[in-house]
Amino acid sequence: MSESIRTPSVWSLPLHALRLAGRCVLPLVMWYSAGQLVRFGLMVGGTELGHGSMKDLRYALTMLVFIIMVMAGLVVSVGMFASLRGALWEMRARRADGDQDEGFVSTLSRVIIPFVALYLAWGWQLDDVRDYLSMDILRQSDDKGALGAFYDLATGEQPDTARILIGLNFTATLVIMAVAFLARYFFTLWYERDQARTAALAVAFCELSFFYYGAQVVASRGEVVGGWLGSRVAASWVGDLFDGLQVHIPGLAALGELLDTVKPYAWDALVLPAAWLTVAILMYGAYAEDARGVIRGTRLEGVATQAGTMLTARTHSLTRRTLLRFFGRWADWVPLMNTVRLAIRGGAPLFGYFALCFVGLRVGADYASRGIVYLLGSDHPMLYLNVLLVPVDFVVDLVVTVLTICLLAATFDIAAGAERRRRAVAGVSGRSAERAPTPALQHTS
């Protein structure tokens, strides 16, 4: 039975993560290396494609290559999590209960849509955009020099360096964004009807296309949009309201400054680990697919039932279906709620220990990189350092990524084990209560 399956303790989290890394190091390294190779090839190809004649066509295709690169990165992340399945105690317990292992393609089609939603919601796309533009700047600087990449001394014109993601004209971008929006709608209908794997990947791709081409629309009309919003009466009223509150409420301005100072640290130390833990828990299928399964048994279930009844009574069915299919389901955000719930049931020490290890890995990686550069010395030609730092950065990123994935999987394993033990104890207590004789029967006998 699954109750006999061993589950690690909270304080063994780092050792459990290292155990996972040791047992699955080969597939993890292969997934990461393949992903970096594909990413590098797409970045080089995209930046090469973005310069030349027929600018609008090139910019549209460059954005397409960039979206493919993002999708490939998400697939690699899913693959790295999937490679750890066989080493998790929770998965062994599920097998003992008779559950079948989920295939990689099935897992990918199940998690890719909410994974894309989390990817866009938490701003992880900024790192991809930064790397893509940095590659363009590097290649243009190699071809034209550091100054020539941004300013043509002969003609006085500014080259299109680092503009490959925002250079497409407004009309073409708007049309592509509208096509992506409509395609997302029809692929969502297909996915809801047949649960097809191809439809899930198509929905995720259209979601990314709609977001990135929409970002181009905002970038190309940023001043117009900003000026229009700033001139609205509501925006002016909100600004005046906050200014008045800061004047009349003592300490409000100081509190705002304190929050602005603490916010980056809280984000990196608590929010970012929780977001990645959400991905891990979503990957290993710890959640129900709908929001009702998440809140079942809590006080929110009654509130949700009343709200659903009111919505059904006061809106037309066609309106409800249209809104859900066009603007997405709020159940896509359910994994984050489940992360909080599972972390709470796993105990505050588990999440705190996990966050500490998560941040420690990144801090340790920074110190490791600086230490390696210090050992190499600075009395070398710049070309020598550029060549030598490429494998150094690759190895450091590889170690950090592998250990982070293993840490996330280990945290899920411990939390799921704690939840399994809690349910087992509750089941045993329930059966004991049913079998125990009542005081009346004892007295009668």
Side-chain angles (χ1 to χ4, degrees):
M1 295 298 291
S2 62
E3 287 80 359
S4 63
I5 299 296
R6 174 188 172 189
T7 55
S9 66
V10 173
W11 307 112
S12 65
L13 176 61
L15 296 178
H16 190 34
L18 291 175
R19 185 189 70 86
L20 295 176
R23 294 194 59 180
C24 306
V25 61
L26 183 58
L28 289 172
V29 171
M30 292 178 64
W31 270 109
Y32 180 83
S33 302
Q36 290 299 306
L37 182 62
V38 172
R39 181 183 180 88
F40 179 78
L42 290 175
M43 283 198 297
V44 172
T47 53
E48 185 68 24
L49 182 63
H51 302 283
S53 58
M54 303 177 66
K55 291 290 187 182
D56 289 335
L57 178 60
R58 286 180 176 271
Y59 286 150
L61 294 177
T62 300
M63 177 62 77
L64 181 63
V65 173
F66 174 76
I67 294 172
I68 294 174
M69 184 193 76
V70 173
M71 283 287 294
L74 298 181
V75 172
V76 168
S77 298
V78 175
M80 294 184 72
F81 279 113
S83 63
L84 294 171
R85 278 183 175 273
L88 297 179
W89 298 111
E90 173 64 18
M91 297 305 165
R92 297 183 183 182
R94 293 181 184 180
R95 292 171 188 169
D97 290 340
D99 295 341
Q100 299 294 327
D101 290 341
E102 188 177 23
F104 173 72
V105 178
S106 300
T107 302
L108 180 62
S109 62
R110 176 177 59 83
V111 305
I112 192 64
I113 296 177
F115 195 1
V116 168
L118 292 171
Y119 169 85
L120 297 176
W122 294 105
W124 294 338
Q125 73 277 1
L126 298 178
D127 292 335
D128 291 327
V129 172
R130 190 180 299 110
D131 292 342
Y132 205 66
L133 297 181
S134 297
M135 176 63 73
D136 187 43
I137 294 173
L138 179 62
R139 291 178 56 79
Q140 292 299 305
S141 299
D142 291 340
D143 294 340
K144 304 176 182 178
L147 295 178
F150 294 95
Y151 187 79
D152 192 338
L153 299 177
T155 62
E157 297 180 356
Q158 294 183 352
D160 52 357
T161 303
R163 294 187 59 84
I164 55 178
L165 296 182
I166 59 173
L168 187 62
N169 69 73
F170 176 78
T171 303
T173 307
L174 189 62
V175 170
I176 296 175
M177 185 185 70
V179 171
F181 184 79
L182 293 176
R184 175 186 178 275
Y185 170 72
F186 289 109
F187 282 124
T188 302
L189 293 180
W190 181 18
Y191 179 70
E192 290 181 348
R193 185 182 69 248
D194 300 333
Q195 297 294 313
R197 300 169 181 175
T198 305
L201 297 176
V203 170
F205 185 82
C206 292
E207 188 79 31
L208 291 172
S209 301
F210 175 73
F211 174 84
Y212 281 114
Y213 283 105
Q216 277 202 34
V217 172
V218 175
S220 60
R221 292 294 186 271
E223 296 181 358
V224 176
V225 175
W228 182 82
L229 291 176
S231 62
R232 298 300 92 189
V233 176
S236 301
W237 179 82
V238 171
D240 295 339
L241 175 62
F242 277 103
D243 292 339
L245 291 176
Q246 290 181 358
V247 173
H248 294 88
I249 299 179
L252 184 60
L255 179 61
E257 295 178 357
L258 178 62
L259 292 178
D260 291 338
T261 304
V262 175
K263 181 180 177 181
Y265 301 101
W267 179 274
D268 293 337
L270 298 175
V271 179
L272 184 60
W276 271 111
L277 185 59
T278 299
V279 175
I281 298 175
L282 177 68
M283 172 65 205
Y284 295 124
Y287 300 131
E289 293 297 329
D290 59 326
R292 182 68 61 186
V294 177
I295 63 177
R296 184 177 293 117
T298 65
R299 296 181 181 179
L300 293 177
E301 184 177 11
V303 178
T305 302
Q306 296 178 3
T309 303
M310 294 175 60
L311 180 65
T312 303
R314 299 184 182 184
T315 59
H316 194 272
S317 60
L318 180 61
T319 303
R320 295 194 301 272
R321 289 197 300 269
T322 303
L323 291 175
L324 288 175
R325 287 169 178 169
F326 263 103
F327 298 103
R329 301 180 184 276
W330 71 276
D332 288 344
W333 305 103
V334 165
L336 187 60
M337 298 169 55
N338 276 304
T339 298
V340 176
R341 187 178 184 184
L342 190 60
I344 291 175
R345 290 190 172 185
L350 174 61
F351 183 77
Y353 202 18
F354 157 71
L356 181 63
C357 294
F358 187 92
V359 175
L361 280 175
R362 276 147 179 76
V363 175
D366 293 338
Y367 277 105
S369 299
R370 294 175 58 183
I372 293 174
V373 172
Y374 177 78
L375 293 176
L376 293 175
S378 59
D379 55 343
H380 303 287
M382 183 59 67
L383 181 60
Y384 175 83
L385 288 176
N386 288 339
V387 173
L388 193 59
L389 288 179
V390 170
V392 170
D393 293 338
F394 176 83
V395 171
V396 172
D397 291 340
L398 169 64
V399 173
V400 172
T401 303
V402 168
L403 291 180
T404 300
I405 294 293
C406 293
L407 178 66
L408 291 166
T411 305
F412 160 80
D413 206 14
I414 294 174
E419 177 69 10
R420 184 176 290 272
R421 288 194 301 270
R422 187 191 65 82
R423 292 180 179 178
V425 171
V428 171
S429 300
R431 289 193 297 268
S432 300
E434 292 177 358
R435 295 174 182 175
T438 61
L441 293 176
Q442 290 177 346
H443 180 73
T444 303
S445 61

